[in-house]
Amino acid sequence: MTPLNLTTAFYLLFTYTVGLIFAVGVILRIYQYATTPQPVNIPLTPAPLTRGGALARILGEVFFFKSLFKSNKATWLFGYAFHISFFLLIFMHFLRHFIYANPLPWWYNIFVDIGIICGIIMVLSLLFLLLRRVVVERIKFISLFQDYLILILLMLIGLAGLSLNYVLTPAALTVVDNSLDPYMNGLLTFQFTNIPANPLFLIHYTLVMLLVAYIPFSKVMHFIGIFFSPTRVMVDNPVEERYYRPGAKDLSI
Amino acid sequence: MAKPKEKYKVPVLDGNINIPRIVPGASAYEHMIEAQKDDMEALGFPSKLQDGWKEKAIGVFKEILDNNKALRDYMDICVRCGACTDKCQFFLGTSDPNNMPVQRQELMRKVYRYYFTPAGFFKNLSNSQELTEEVLKDWFTYFYQCSECRRCSLYCPYGIDTAEVTMAARQIMDSIGLGQKYATEVIHKVFKTGNNIGIPAPALRNTLDDLEEEIKDETGKDVKIPMDVEGVDVLLVPPSADFFAMPHMESLKGYAKVFHKAGISYTVSSYASEAGNFGMFLGSYKNMKEINKRIWDEARRLKVKRVIVGECGHAWRAAYQYSNTMNGPFDFLDSKYKSPTHICDFTLDLINKGAIRLDKSANDDKVVTFHDSCNVARGSRMGDYRGGQFEIPRQLIKAAANHFVELREGTTRESTFCCGAGGGLLTEEVMNIRIAGSMPRMQTVKEAVDNHKVNFYALICAICKTQFSKIFPTYGFDAEMVGGIHQLVSNAIIL
Ligand code: SF4
Ligand code: SF4
Ligand code: SF4
């Protein structure tokens, strides 16, 4: 076993810290949303009359952005393209870990190509979303620093990821790939190996870590919050079934 | 107090609803009159701003965050996608960016960031701000330019409901002594007399006598409007405007004729003579519950079997969505019926059962259209199926009149525009906001009048009726066009 270098030591510490921030941050948020009482029943009507219906409604929002589709087709298209490609990419990154074996399966190149296409779609849709913030007067007015920050961060992540495929020679990429797998394994099994030393890779990795650490403090929490949004998840049956929370305070409705 | 009419800014109608370019501060000049001392005290609030208001406000803010999932969630998850920016009638009408729902929320969210998130640390970068007097002034202006209509929530990918934010903001302001005169005055009247208008029982009986006489003159029939009668089947709770205001009274006559013809015993109550619930406009759970309680106390006292609510938007939402939580369960009523029942649901059911018959030709001089009141459309339901709040009033209109046309698609049903005066805005001092806020709706009215010769604008909301009776002439339409659905029923019912 090769001894660990200083870079790796740094990244190990960095990665675990980020993981901890993310896990604790997200769990705390979930706990907070889940335990805050909702004093009254406020589904936005017409709303489903059953639990199952309400679940279908929220899934429609999560998987198809139904309300956004209703309000703005262009935003829907590019927002949807971004989210789909982003999720596919996250999924494929995990998946890659399982299929990257010796010898590579014959379809590995197709797999990588799909990833590259997703990456391009992701960066382009982000570019559109960014342009929208700069060009459309109303959107420009409401945009805050953190809105630009997250878009740019995501774009840089995408670009750095793509650059691995376009800037590096196939041989250099293989070197990265070959050392990435044991490094990742090591994170889970505590049998640490050195992180790939390629600077482009390290940029990509670092940016991802920054993003992950930032998530619990950012608007990205909408991926959790939507499941707790009373106007969307509640069932329209206040007369049929009494909605009563004894702990609810006589405060705001 | 009424301003001369020339001073109003009335847009010229061309039938189009355009998204305006933003004009920062365009409607900053129009704000509410502050609440009076005795009204505030009667509602359990401090009479005016006192030393230490800032700390108090933040304390109340925190308490609401800890006890209201909606606010907690909505403070965090807005992504500023902008989908809601062109959906609020008050932005469309005023061009003021603070009337874009997300920006209205931002007035509160920047204070939230400052006090309750680590972002408060990076003040300038994260747009977080201390609750200064300046900010409070903005709150008092713009949280009273929102009618709590929930249109923005419909279009938001996460369902973020600006009405909830507005209610919380108003609650915070009230709790430090910064109230709105109109709503607090009205609630104080309810506590004193049982209704928003402040009519005492004898005066109410007089009016009912007059109405009975009117019906007698018009139809020759002895149609009674009983008050405070024990042991009848139904407690009818209309908005108090139905007793006094025009065209509301025409609908009250309609209810009376329906009960009379169907032979169902009923009563109105002088103690619960108000379906409306301005506690909702305050965002105050406590006041709302108190007002709502009168209805159910009275139902218990009068030993009725069921409660029926008259034509009123926010009243129906208050009765439908909140009653059972706040003052239920209603096990002392007859479980055969759903309580509360909406009067439209009740009447349509009687028509379908053949208990009453309507002669549609009585309304042949009318081309009717229908305005979905937002509180009914987006905050409640009628009947026992999803969307009953859209179908039942339409079926009732079609049962009472031969000519019915819909308003422009995309502005009806759950996408309806607010009349521009809901949520406690039905007061003179914000007349320009009311005119501007009704503009999108008026564009569709113009289109319906031009293309379909619509001459009757059917409503099921007391505030809508008052607002449009005022706004129609302002925009050059006849106030007589405005009326309730039960006004149509009243014309058509065969006694
Ligand atoms: S639609 Fe919802 S998420 Fe988008 S800006 Fe408006 S409130 Fe925020
Ligand atoms: S609730 Fe209605 S009035 Fe208030 S911000 Fe939303 S759309 Fe505008
Ligand atoms: S008055 Fe009518 S349209 Fe206006 S807020 Fe109330 S229900 Fe909606």
Side-chain angles (χ1 to χ4, degrees):
Chain A
M1 215 170 115
T2 41
L4 296 183
N5 56 30
L6 204 60
T7 321
T8 304
F10 167 77
Y11 273 101
L12 283 174
L13 194 66
F14 184 41
T15 307
Y16 282 124
T17 314
V18 166
L20 198 68
I21 293 176
F22 179 80
V24 173
V26 170
I27 289 171
L28 277 182
R29 282 301 178 90
I30 293 178
Y31 178 78
Q32 197 173 42
Y33 296 149
T35 54
T36 305
Q38 173 57 27
V40 281
N41 191 21
I42 56 162
L44 189 93
T45 61
L49 311 190
T50 58
R51 285 249 117 251
L55 184 69
R57 181 187 204 184
I58 200 74
L59 293 181
E61 294 293 352
V62 171
F63 288 111
F64 302 109
F65 301 8
K66 275 183 142 173
S67 294
L68 185 58
F69 185 74
K70 210 178 325 180
S71 35
N72 194 319
K73 301 285 186 280
T75 310
W76 179 86
L77 183 67
F78 290 96
Y80 201 66
F82 159 66
H83 281 84
I84 289 282
S85 52
F86 186 53
F87 271 94
L88 273 177
L89 280 168
I90 295 176
F91 178 69
M92 290 170 80
H93 274 69
F94 282 108
L95 195 61
R96 196 207 72 101
H97 187 68
F98 294 102
I99 58 180
Y100 194 79
N102 217 348
L104 285 172
W106 61 267
W107 43 268
Y108 185 76
N109 280 336
I110 306 177
F111 179 82
V112 172
D113 285 344
I114 296 177
I116 291 176
I117 293 171
C118 281
I120 293 171
I121 294 179
M122 174 177 144
V123 172
L124 287 181
S125 46
L126 284 167
L127 187 67
F128 172 84
L129 293 174
L130 185 64
L131 279 179
R132 196 175 142 266
R133 287 205 185 275
V134 185
V135 174
V136 183
E137 192 193 27
R138 279 171 294 127
I139 315 298
K140 183 171 178 187
F141 191 89
I142 63 170
S143 295
L144 305 177
F145 170 76
Q146 50 263 52
D147 302 324
Y148 296 109
L149 178 72
I150 198 95
L151 283 175
I152 290 170
L153 185 56
L154 283 163
M155 271 170 88
L156 288 178
I157 288 173
L159 288 174
L162 285 171
S163 72
L164 288 174
N165 288 287
Y166 284 113
V167 180
L168 296 192
T169 61
L173 185 57
T174 310
V175 172
V176 172
D177 281 345
N178 282 339
S179 48
L180 180 57
D181 238 36
Y183 170 78
M184 285 295 171
N185 277 331
L187 281 175
L188 293 175
T189 57
F190 302 105
Q191 316 264 307
F192 305 122
T193 62
N194 277 324
I195 192 165
N198 185 291
L200 281 177
F201 168 79
L202 286 181
I203 291 174
H204 181 64
Y205 188 85
T206 309
L207 290 172
V208 170
M209 286 301 124
L210 289 177
L211 174 71
V212 172
Y214 176 52
I215 284 175
F217 308 100
S218 71
K219 64 177 190 177
V220 183
M221 286 312 290
H222 67 263
F223 80 101
I224 299 292
I226 186 166
F227 293 100
F228 295 96
S229 170
T231 61
R232 289 292 187 272
V233 299
M234 295 186 96
V235 181
D236 180 22
N237 61 355
V239 175
E240 291 81 356
E241 196 179 305
R242 184 169 188 223
Y243 178 88
Y244 182 61
R245 295 291 174 272
K249 289 228 181 109
D250 279 5
L251 280 163
S252 182
I253 40 177
Chain B
M1 192 158 77
K3 299 175 203 167
K5 200 180 155 195
E6 304 77 77
K7 272 183 138 180
Y8 296 152
K9 299 179 190 165
V10 186
V12 179
L13 298 180
D14 59 3
N16 298 320
I17 302 169
N18 297 320
I19 303 168
R21 297 194 59 106
I22 55 177
V23 182
S27 62
Y29 67 96
E30 192 113 307
H31 31 76
M32 295 291 172
I33 297 176
E34 283 177 33
Q36 286 159 328
K37 183 169 176 287
D38 49 333
D39 293 334
M40 286 296 271
E41 279 165 1
L43 271 56
F45 299 126
S47 58
K48 59 176 175 33
L49 277 194
Q50 276 144 5
D51 282 348
W53 61 265
K54 196 184 290 183
E55 291 67 36
K56 176 108 194 277
I58 298 310
V60 176
F61 195 172
K62 169 143 180 32
E63 244 195 298
I64 299 177
L65 284 170
D66 288 342
N67 288 285
N68 188 318
K69 195 198 290 279
L71 192 70
R72 168 110 263 163
D73 198 29
Y74 296 158
M75 279 296 113
D76 282 339
I77 65 172
C78 171
V79 298
R80 285 167 297 280
C81 69
C84 59
T85 51
D86 54 350
K87 302 300 186 283
C88 177
Q89 53 278 336
F90 294 100
F91 170 66
L92 294 175
T94 63
S95 310
D96 191 315
N98 280 340
N99 281 328
M100 298 191 285
V102 47
Q103 206 58 22
R104 199 187 307 284
Q105 297 160 22
E106 188 65 21
L107 292 174
M108 178 181 260
R109 207 172 270 128
K110 64 186 181 189
V111 176
Y112 168 76
R113 283 194 205 102
Y114 185 90
Y115 292 97
F116 303 110
T117 72
F121 204 70
F122 312 94
K123 279 187 211 78
N124 298 330
L125 278 185
S126 65
N127 196 31
S128 51
Q129 195 169 16
E130 202 181 333
L131 181 59
T132 58
E133 246 168 84
E134 198 72 7
V135 174
L136 193 63
K137 203 169 139 248
D138 280 348
W139 280 29
F140 193 66
T141 306
Y142 292 106
F143 286 120
Y144 284 102
Q145 294 187 9
C146 166
S147 64
E148 303 176 353
C149 78
R150 311 182 98 196
R151 191 167 198 266
C152 43
S153 173
L154 173 73
Y155 290 101
C156 171
Y158 317 115
I160 296 177
D161 187 356
T162 316
E164 293 294 320
V165 178
T166 295
M167 288 181 196
R170 291 183 184 180
Q171 168 83 9
I172 294 169
M173 287 188 280
D174 281 326
S175 69
I176 57 171
L178 182 58
Q180 177 212 14
K181 176 166 174 281
Y182 173 59
T184 50
E185 200 172 39
V186 163
I187 296 177
H188 193 187
K189 276 187 204 150
V190 176
F191 291 152
K192 279 198 298 207
T193 63
N195 56 65
N196 286 356
I197 309 187
I199 331 162
L204 181 56
R205 187 58 258 174
N206 274 341
T207 326
L208 297 177
D209 289 343
D210 290 348
L211 278 171
E212 285 175 358
E213 233 170 82
E214 256 178 55
I215 301 177
K216 173 100 184 166
D217 289 347
E218 287 162 15
T219 65
K221 304 278 182 198
D222 278 315
V223 174
K224 294 286 164 223
I225 310 178
M227 183 175 102
D228 296 335
V229 182
E230 260 184 59
V232 292
D233 281 357
V234 174
L235 169 63
L236 171 68
V237 192
S240 58
D242 285 6
F243 299 123
F244 275 89
M246 275 308 265
H248 311 58
M249 285 150 93
E250 295 298 333
S251 281
L252 183 64
K253 287 196 220 162
Y255 316 152
K257 290 180 189 172
V258 169
F259 281 107
H260 171 85
K261 188 63 198 174
I264 296 171
S265 63
Y266 79 109
T267 185
V268 298
S269 149
S270 61
Y271 176 75
S273 47
E274 177 63 68
N277 194 326
F278 275 38
M280 193 165 132
F281 300 162
L282 258 54
S284 157
Y285 188 105
K286 194 162 143 277
N287 279 287
M288 183 165 172
K289 179 171 160 186
E290 226 20 67
I291 298 167
N292 184 273
K293 187 163 175 287
R294 301 176 79 94
I295 298 174
W296 307 102
D297 282 351
E298 196 64 346
R300 203 181 258 119
R301 187 179 74 82
L302 294 174
K303 300 187 190 64
V304 296
K305 292 187 180 142
R306 64 189 298 196
V307 172
I308 294 181
V309 176
E311 294 178 350
C312 187
H314 80 279
W316 178 240
R317 182 175 182 205
Y320 172 86
Q321 247 181 4
Y322 299 137
S323 284
N324 204 359
T325 299
M326 293 179 170
N327 292 305
F330 306 126
D331 41 16
F332 55 93
L333 298 167
D334 190 337
S335 60
K336 247 201 342 249
Y337 309 108
K338 247 199 307 181
S339 282
T341 309
H342 195 279
I343 186 78
C344 288
D345 197 1
F346 173 72
T347 304
L348 185 66
D349 187 49
L350 290 175
I351 294 171
N352 289 341
K353 285 201 300 224
I356 54 172
R357 287 194 301 123
L358 307 187
D359 170 18
K360 291 193 209 190
S361 65
N363 285 314
D364 269 352
D365 55 333
K366 297 186 177 65
V367 182
V368 183
T369 190
F370 177 61
H371 166 84
D372 287 278
S373 292
C374 44
N375 272 295
V376 177
R378 289 186 287 263
S380 70
R381 170 165 56 96
M382 290 180 205
D384 46 18
Y385 56 96
R386 186 175 178 170
Q389 71 269 38
F390 309 132
E391 300 312 325
I392 288 171
R394 283 174 172 76
Q395 285 171 22
L396 188 54
I397 293 175
K398 287 175 192 163
N402 279 315
H403 313 297
F404 173 74
V405 292
E406 288 281 359
L407 289 167
R408 183 186 306 174
E409 214 193 307
T411 72
T412 58
R413 297 173 181 256
E414 66 265 37
S415 310
T416 188
F417 280 112
C418 175
C419 62
L425 269 56
L426 188 71
T427 168
E428 286 293 326
E429 63 258 31
V430 290
M431 200 59 209
N432 279 318
I433 297 300
R434 285 168 55 188
I435 293 171
S438 65
M439 184 275 286
R441 178 42 91 214
M442 292 311 294
Q443 299 284 14
T444 67
V445 170
K446 170 157 175 69
E447 183 187 57
V449 170
D450 288 352
N451 297 351
H452 304 287
K453 308 216 171 358
V454 162
N455 61 6
F456 192 85
Y457 191 62
L459 299 165
I460 45 170
C461 173
I463 293 177
C464 296
K465 287 175 195 168
T466 310
Q467 160 78 345
F468 284 119
S469 304
K470 178 104 191 178
I471 291 297
F472 265 47
T474 313
Y475 277 98
F477 295 99
D478 191 356
E480 299 282 300
M481 285 170 66
V482 177
I485 290 189
H486 275 77
Q487 182 172 339
L488 297 172
V489 173
S490 176
N491 292 340
I493 190 166
I494 303 171
L495 285 175

